[in-house]
Amino acid sequence: MAKARPPQRIVLVGFMGSGKTTVGAALARRLGWEFLDLDRWIEDRHALTVAEIFRRHGEPFFREEERRAVRAAGRLRRHVVAAGGGAFAAEATRAALQKGAVTVWLRCGETTLWRRLPHDGSRPLAADRARIPALLAEREASYRLADLSVDTSGMSLHDVADEILRQLPERALERGEDL
Ligand code: S3P
């Protein structure tokens, strides 16, 4: 049987405020890989913030752009990718993120989320705080489909990067792969 190819990307998924961008950048530095934040990719392409894209063009347009960003990311090697909180919840986007990658769910409890989420209007779906528990519950089943998961509650984001590194080789080896 042909040997599976080593994963080319590590994709971080999880709810807004779970630390994907900070952890992703730290993890990439440690691995000597590049880091890509999909939200930043979309923002750069439109020269607009995510909040402005939602306001001017609406969420369906943003989701289409997210799929486009994921397709572009799928061509990259040796990259850590931070996916927006809704990306892994959409089936086609999730499948594209999973291909050729190890996916890691950064779990965290609501108390930690509240602390980490800024009140600056940068996340349109977190503007109405009352909606967050339902959105979290709705997305959890999708996040569970990630290959690995790390509970980041009460952990420094640098410790989270270490924990991912600790889990990675083991899982990669289970599948006969090297990182
Ligand atoms: C979203 C999360 C955001 C961003 C957009 C929508 C979501 O990314 O993609 O505001 O649907 O949960 P972060 O998870 O990086 O905040």
Side-chain angles (χ1 to χ4, degrees):
M1 207 172 85
K3 196 173 173 232
R5 293 181 60 203
Q8 302 295 336
R9 289 168 298 287
I10 298 168
V11 175
L12 304 185
V13 305
F15 207 71
M16 297 172 269
S18 58
K20 295 165 300 217
T21 302
T22 310
V23 171
L27 188 60
R29 258 196 315 277
R30 281 176 211 197
L31 288 165
W33 285 17
E34 298 296 320
F35 173 63
L36 175 72
D37 183 295
L38 296 182
D39 285 342
R40 292 299 88 72
W41 188 93
I42 297 168
E43 290 185 333
D44 290 349
R45 196 172 126 77
H46 291 277
L48 292 172
T49 65
V50 167
E52 286 167 339
I53 295 173
F54 267 71
R55 227 178 4 254
R56 288 198 199 176
H57 303 294
E59 184 173 349
F61 176 86
F62 175 78
R63 297 300 172 201
E64 187 56 51
E65 288 302 293
E66 193 164 56
R67 276 193 292 281
R68 191 191 296 273
V70 169
R71 277 200 301 276
R75 293 191 280 273
L76 302 173
R77 287 162 186 260
R78 297 170 65 83
H79 271 69
V80 177
V81 176
F88 218 59
E91 198 178 335
T93 313
R94 180 170 66 244
L97 283 169
Q98 287 170 318
K99 202 159 176 234
V102 175
T103 54
V104 185
W105 173 24
L106 301 191
R107 282 186 286 133
C108 88
E110 269 185 58
T111 323
T112 308
L113 282 183
W114 294 130
R115 215 180 40 241
R116 289 195 194 142
L117 272 175
H119 297 253
D120 59 1
S122 59
R123 289 173 170 93
L125 297 185
D128 179 1
R129 301 240 153 186
R131 280 189 60 201
I132 291 189
L135 196 57
L136 253 175
E138 183 188 308
R139 289 188 173 165
E140 198 169 297
S142 307
Y143 295 149
R144 278 186 196 285
L145 300 172
D147 299 308
L148 307 175
S149 95
V150 176
D151 184 357
T152 75
S153 310
M155 254 172 118
S156 90
L157 294 174
H158 281 272
D159 290 347
V160 175
D162 283 342
E163 176 58 21
I164 295 172
L165 284 176
R166 205 186 58 75
Q167 289 193 29
L168 272 175
E170 199 179 16
R171 291 305 185 98
L173 286 175
E174 265 174 34
R175 297 193 302 230
E177 300 165 349
D178 300 315
L179 256 187

